[in-house]
Amino acid sequence: MDSLITAAARALATGDPLGALNRIALRDDAPALALRGIAMAQLGDLVRAKTLVRSAARAFGPKEALARARCVVAEAEIAFASRDLNWPTKALDAARATLQAHGDWVNAAHARYLEIRRLLLIGHLDEAEHRLAELDPTSLPPASRAAYELVVAGIAMRRLQTKAARVALERAERAAQHAAIPALTAEVESAARILDTPAARLIVGGQERPMLLDEIEALLASPALVVDACRYVVRDAGSSVSLARRPVLFALARALGEAWPADVPRETLIARAFRMKFADDSHRARLRVELGRLRAALHLIADVVATRRGFALVPRVARDVVVLARPVEEQHATLLAFLADSESWSSSALALALGASQRTVQRTLDTLAAAGKVQSFGHGRARRWMTPQVPGFATVLLLTGLLPND
């Protein structure tokens, strides 16, 4: 590498994309194209960054397999940062194998990190954790070590292991400070704020209050009977019953849990479960059938008893009954939760993450856009969706610069 390429690469490694562009903005050779692409990615112009990195990969000759593999890794990170989760992961696997064969362990580890981050985004926690165990963080440079700890913290948060998440974020903060990259430090701080942001609501006896992740973890470990409206599960200290595929039964369980220890009138239960304003004898008969099914489903942890005016939930072991609800009651709350990360998502990426059809997601996005809850930009396959007001910091691109091996 010549001196300008080396200086530009070092500027990118320290989070200074403008300094890098000042050195190589007018050059069109392959290394300069690659570094310009990384700089544009760090500045947030992901479309131009993708074009430049792809051009650099084509410009490198067939004998420059190592440089081409690094370009593939950079393109993969740009794709995942723009939430193009359908980007071909086989190309990333091949690039990682090439990097390992040439002894570039840092970029090979970064390629593995990108695979894990994609799995984390689409909710495949077990597979992400398995692949994370294959990485040795002790040999990583500070910036890559911070990225590794952010993934560890992300998995721990999703598993409601808040103590492990805080420890990982502390390690990530130390690594980010050592790397001296302001954007990376900001991302760690943004991730840490999640632990201090309400993640659910607790409803007890008609009263509700927000709950942090560590409070949710403590609640689920307590002996109380919890009607979990985030996962559609009813659980106590000994067992749990999933009602995710039985929405009517869960609606009844939630209504009974919110009113506990009081009972719920039959008309209220019919309105909550069947969405009927007026009830007749057929609805009352159906209510008895559905409550019988609920009683059979919950027989290990609770009973449903009839009262003079309605029905009540009676736990078998637990002394208290609480309802854990989402922070905001919204029909499409799960989709909005993905968009709340301030990144721009494609409808195909949202469909992959939600496990739904792309057409269903597109109809939902159109409905939310008409209500002013989401907005889009671009057209066709380049169309992206995001929330109108972007909170916090955008996800930083931790692209490893094309530094010399020394």
Side-chain angles (χ1 to χ4, degrees):
M1 293 187 183
D2 59 48
S3 59
L4 286 179
I5 292 293
T6 302
R10 294 191 182 281
L12 288 176
T14 58
D16 182 16
L18 295 178
L21 289 175
N22 284 337
R23 295 173 173 86
I24 45 102
L26 300 179
R27 293 179 52 166
D28 290 324
D29 52 300
L33 286 173
L35 294 175
R36 284 168 57 193
I38 296 173
M40 296 309 297
Q42 292 186 357
L43 290 172
D45 191 345
L46 302 181
V47 175
R48 185 172 298 179
K50 181 179 180 180
T51 301
L52 287 168
V53 170
R54 188 169 290 180
S55 298
R58 290 194 298 265
F60 281 115
K63 296 183 179 180
E64 298 174 291
L66 180 61
R68 292 169 68 93
R70 289 173 173 172
C71 288
V72 171
V73 173
E75 185 181 348
E77 181 158 16
I78 293 169
F80 297 157
S82 60
R83 295 303 186 260
D84 183 8
L85 303 183
N86 289 316
W87 194 85
T89 55
K90 290 183 178 179
L92 184 59
D93 290 335
R96 180 172 54 81
T98 300
L99 293 168
Q100 289 177 342
H102 286 78
D104 189 353
W105 303 107
V106 172
N107 280 296
H110 191 67
R112 174 66 78 182
Y113 155 76
L114 292 177
E115 296 174 6
I116 297 169
R117 188 168 185 174
R118 176 182 177 274
L119 292 171
L120 187 61
L121 283 172
I122 62 178
H124 295 182
L125 298 185
D126 292 337
E127 189 176 355
E129 205 164 28
H130 175 73
R131 296 195 183 189
L132 189 67
E134 299 175 358
L135 280 178
D136 179 15
T138 58
S139 60
L140 297 176
S144 298
R145 179 63 183 270
Y148 171 90
E149 298 296 350
L150 282 172
V151 171
V152 172
I155 294 175
M157 287 181 192
R158 285 161 176 78
R159 294 195 183 281
L160 288 179
Q161 299 170 350
T162 54
K163 184 176 180 180
R166 290 187 188 278
V167 172
L169 287 172
E170 289 173 359
R171 293 194 298 262
E173 183 181 8
R174 290 193 295 269
Q177 290 175 349
H178 190 195
I181 301 176
L184 180 57
T185 302
E187 184 175 9
V188 175
E189 292 174 353
S190 178
R193 281 196 294 272
I194 295 176
L195 293 174
D196 299 320
T197 302
R201 291 177 298 128
L202 180 67
I203 304 175
V204 182
Q207 302 295 321
E208 63 178 64
R209 67 175 181 85
M211 295 194 75
L212 304 179
L213 281 176
D214 53 356
E215 294 176 318
I216 298 172
E217 181 183 9
L219 173 66
L220 297 181
S222 71
L225 190 149
V226 181
V227 181
D228 188 347
C230 300
R231 297 175 177 82
Y232 302 102
V233 171
V234 181
R235 71 180 80 207
D236 64 6
S239 60
S240 65
V241 178
S242 175
L243 299 176
R245 297 182 181 274
R246 309 179 77 175
V248 172
L249 298 191
F250 185 81
L252 292 171
R254 177 171 177 175
L256 294 170
E258 289 180 355
W260 185 89
D263 59 355
V264 183
R266 290 172 176 82
E267 291 74 15
T268 303
L269 289 174
I270 290 172
R272 291 284 296 270
F274 309 142
R275 299 179 182 179
M276 296 288 184
K277 293 183 179 179
F278 304 101
D280 56 24
D281 291 340
S282 65
H283 296 129
R284 296 186 183 93
R286 184 185 174 191
L287 177 64
R288 289 193 296 270
V289 171
E290 297 296 347
L291 286 170
R293 292 171 178 169
L294 179 63
R295 186 181 295 111
L298 302 181
H299 71 281
L300 293 177
I301 58 179
D303 190 15
V304 179
V305 299
T307 64
R308 177 170 297 182
R309 67 169 190 161
F311 293 87
L313 188 66
V314 180
R316 296 194 181 278
V317 178
R319 296 183 178 180
D320 300 306
V321 177
V322 300
V323 174
L324 186 66
R326 295 179 178 183
V328 178
E329 294 293 345
E330 162 68 46
Q331 182 181 2
H332 307 296
T334 304
L335 190 151
L336 289 172
F338 280 99
L339 294 176
D341 67 352
S342 78
E343 297 296 334
S344 56
W345 288 72
S346 66
S347 59
S348 60
L350 287 168
L352 180 63
L354 292 168
S357 70
Q358 187 172 350
R359 183 57 188 150
T360 298
V361 171
Q362 287 173 340
R363 287 196 296 265
T364 302
L365 288 169
D366 290 339
T367 301
L368 292 172
K373 296 180 180 180
V374 300
Q375 64 185 13
S376 66
F377 58 91
H379 301 279
R381 293 186 177 180
R383 194 178 190 187
R384 294 293 184 268
W385 298 85
M386 62 192 305
T387 50
Q389 296 181 352
V390 181
F393 294 87
T395 302
V396 67
L397 294 179
L398 303 174
L399 292 168
T400 306
L402 299 174
L403 289 170
N405 290 332
D406 59 356

